[in-house]
């Protein structure tokens, strides 16, 4: 049985009919880039899996807000385990899809589902932090548990609706002629998916952080020096009838109360606000190039070089790596749990 020629196989993958597309070996830059992407896939999967294992093993994490963190870690570990490897295979073949229509549809659906869920989980964590900082008296543990479960359910429901819509005829994801596998370019679906998956949660998280910033600024401004100034009075004490009177005068006195350092709650709120700010900032930087291109290209019928599409896509994927890194870095409980987990393994 004759073996297929490598040159012919590469030509078929690259376009088939174009005889000028000959096989060329990977450059050093390409090998380095693919190696870094493979390392990103592994690191994203391991880091999010570590967060999930920690939440499952530590009993104190079996409550809010750790259920929101677990939901975010599940979506991110699915991005690393189901979406990024197939995307890496696609990069290996020059951004061509050689795995067929069925697997293309599955990959696109998982891509949209997991990435949208990851974005909305970030939004849910930001909302939870906002309510716990600004309404800590009304936002009781019971209320917090109910609202967080509702947000998790809505996150996965909305993500499922957005990801499964193309399977019911709303646009096409696979082109057999050009071996292209991409999110549906139907203009109506583009507007629906980009606003539902990114622009709406973006508006929510920016509004939430603005409110957190205002609340923190108000609390700092309201920390004034409390002063008590009693009135002066004269106290006369008579010891005997024939002895001269002795009078004691209490002059004006000022007693000041000043808090030199932050209280435990203020320190906790400040760290939470900083964590939410960094989480939101990284989320915006990672995803805004991709979603700007996704919205503009189908609407204006224009295009950008394929290499930039890949850059924007993998920049968005990298948000799944940064999410657990940022959250656990600002949470001492996770740091201690990680140490205990590794110390038990030794």
């Amino acid at each position: 049985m004759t073996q297929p020629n490598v040159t012919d196989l590469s030509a078929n993958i690259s376009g088939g009919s174009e005889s000028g597309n000959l096989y060329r070996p990977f450059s050093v830059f390409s090998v380095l880039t693919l190696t870094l992407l493979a390392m990103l896939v592994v690191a994203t999967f391991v880091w999010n899996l570590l967060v999930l294992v920690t939440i499952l093993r530590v009993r104190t994490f079996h409550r809010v807000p750790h259920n929101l963190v677990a939901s975010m870690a599940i979506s991110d570990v699915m991005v690393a385990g189901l979406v990024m490897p197939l995307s890496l295979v696609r990069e290996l073949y020059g951004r061509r899809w050689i795995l067929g229509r069925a697997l293309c549809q599955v990959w696109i659906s998982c891509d949209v589902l997991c990435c949208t869920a990851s974005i909305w989980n970030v939004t849910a964590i930001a909302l939870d932090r906002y309510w716990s900082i600004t309404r800590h008296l009304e936002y009781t543990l019971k209320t917090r548990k109910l609202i967080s479960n509702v947000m998790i359910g809505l996150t996965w429901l909305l993500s499922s609706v957005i990801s499964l819509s193309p399977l019911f005829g709303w646009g096409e994801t696979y082109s057999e002629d050009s071996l292209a596998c991409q999110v549906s370019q139907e203009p109506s679906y583009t507007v629906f998916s980009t606003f539902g998956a990114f622009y709406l949660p973006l508006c929510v998280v920016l509004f939430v952080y603005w409110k957190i910033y205002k609340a923190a600024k108000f609390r700092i401004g309201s920390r004034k020096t409390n002063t008590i100034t009693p009135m002066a009075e004269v106290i006369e004490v008579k010891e005997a009838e024939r002895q001269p009177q002795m009078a004691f005068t209490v002059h004006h006195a000022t007693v000041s109360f000043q808090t030199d350092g932050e209280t435990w709650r203020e320190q906790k709120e400040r760290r939470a606000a900083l964590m939410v700010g960094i989480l939101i900032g990284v989320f915006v930087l990672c995803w805004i190039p991709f979603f700007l291109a996704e919205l503009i290209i189908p609407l204006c019928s224009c295009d950008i070089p394929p290499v930039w599409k890949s850059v924007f896509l993998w920049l968005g994927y990298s948000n799944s790596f940064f999410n657990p890194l940022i959250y656990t870095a600002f949470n001492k409980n996770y740091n201690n749990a990680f140490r205990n987990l590794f110390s038990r393994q030794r």
Side-chain angles (χ1 to χ4, degrees), residues 6-25:
V6 177
T7 305
D8 296 337
L9 178 61
S10 176
N12 289 332
I13 293 171
S14 302
S17 60
E18 297 181 11
S19 59
N21 292 336
L22 299 177
Y23 173 79
R24 289 179 297 178

Side-chain angles (χ1 to χ4, degrees), residues 7 44 49 76 85 92 105 127 132 146 149 169 230 233 274 327:
T7 305
T44 303
L49 190 63
D76 289 336
L92 283 170
Q105 292 176 336
L127 283 169
S132 63
L146 175 63
N149 289 333
E233 58 179 341
L274 181 61
Y327 190 86

Side-chain angles (χ1 to χ4, degrees), residues 45 87 89 137-138 141 146 187 189-190 220 224-225 246 251 255 265 320 334 338:
F45 183 82
S87 185
V89 171
L137 295 179
E138 301 92 342
L141 185 62
L146 175 63
Y189 177 77
T190 297
I220 293 174
K224 298 179 181 179
T225 302
M246 292 182 293
H251 297 282
V255 182
R265 174 167 287 278
S320 294
Y334 278 98
F338 289 156

Side-chain angles (χ1 to χ4, degrees), residues 148-335:
S148 64
N149 289 333
V150 170
M151 288 193 295
I152 291 172
L154 290 176
T155 290
W156 288 97
L157 178 62
L158 178 61
S159 302
S160 300
V161 171
I162 294 175
S163 65
L164 297 178
S165 295
L167 297 180
F168 296 94
W170 202 353
E172 184 58 61
T173 58
Y174 178 72
S175 174
E176 190 173 357
D177 295 334
S178 59
L179 294 178
C181 182
Q182 59 184 352
V183 177
S184 171
Q185 299 296 292
E186 181 72 26
S188 58
Y189 177 77
T190 297
V191 174
F192 168 72
S193 61
T194 55
F195 273 85
F198 178 74
Y199 292 107
L200 180 57
L202 175 66
C203 293
V204 173
V205 295
L206 291 180
F207 173 77
V208 163
Y209 192 68
W210 174 66
K211 296 291 286 186
I212 291 176
Y213 174 77
K214 282 187 64 178
K217 190 176 180 181
F218 173 77
R219 293 196 179 193
I220 293 174
S222 63
R223 293 178 62 196
K224 298 179 181 179
T225 302
N226 299 315
T227 304
I228 300 175
T229 306
M231 298 295 294
E233 58 179 341
V234 176
I235 304 174
E236 294 184 357
V237 180
K238 292 183 180 180
E239 292 189 350
E241 293 182 357
R242 297 182 179 180
Q243 292 182 355
Q245 295 181 351
M246 292 182 293
F248 298 91
T249 303
V250 180
H251 297 282
H252 284 76
T254 301
V255 182
S256 300
F257 298 92
Q258 177 67 47
T259 304
D260 294 330
E262 293 179 317
T263 64
W264 173 80
R265 174 167 287 278
E266 288 173 337
Q267 291 178 353
K268 184 179 179 181
E269 290 177 357
R270 181 173 57 83
R271 288 177 64 88
L274 181 61
M275 184 274 294
V276 171
I278 296 176
L279 197 67
I280 292 172
V282 173
F283 151 71
V284 173
L285 291 176
C286 287
W287 279 115
I288 201 166
F290 173 81
F291 278 99
L292 280 175
E294 282 295 301
L295 180 63
I296 294 172
I297 291 174
L299 296 181
C300 71
S301 299
C302 51
D303 204 358
I304 61 174
V307 64
W308 283 108
K309 290 183 179 180
S310 295
V311 170
F312 295 160
L313 179 63
W314 283 91
L315 184 62
Y317 288 158
S318 69
N319 187 234
S320 294
F321 168 76
F322 290 117
N323 282 340
L325 194 67
I326 295 168
Y327 190 86
T328 56
F330 286 88
N331 195 309
K332 294 181 180 179
N333 294 329
Y334 278 98
N335 295 331

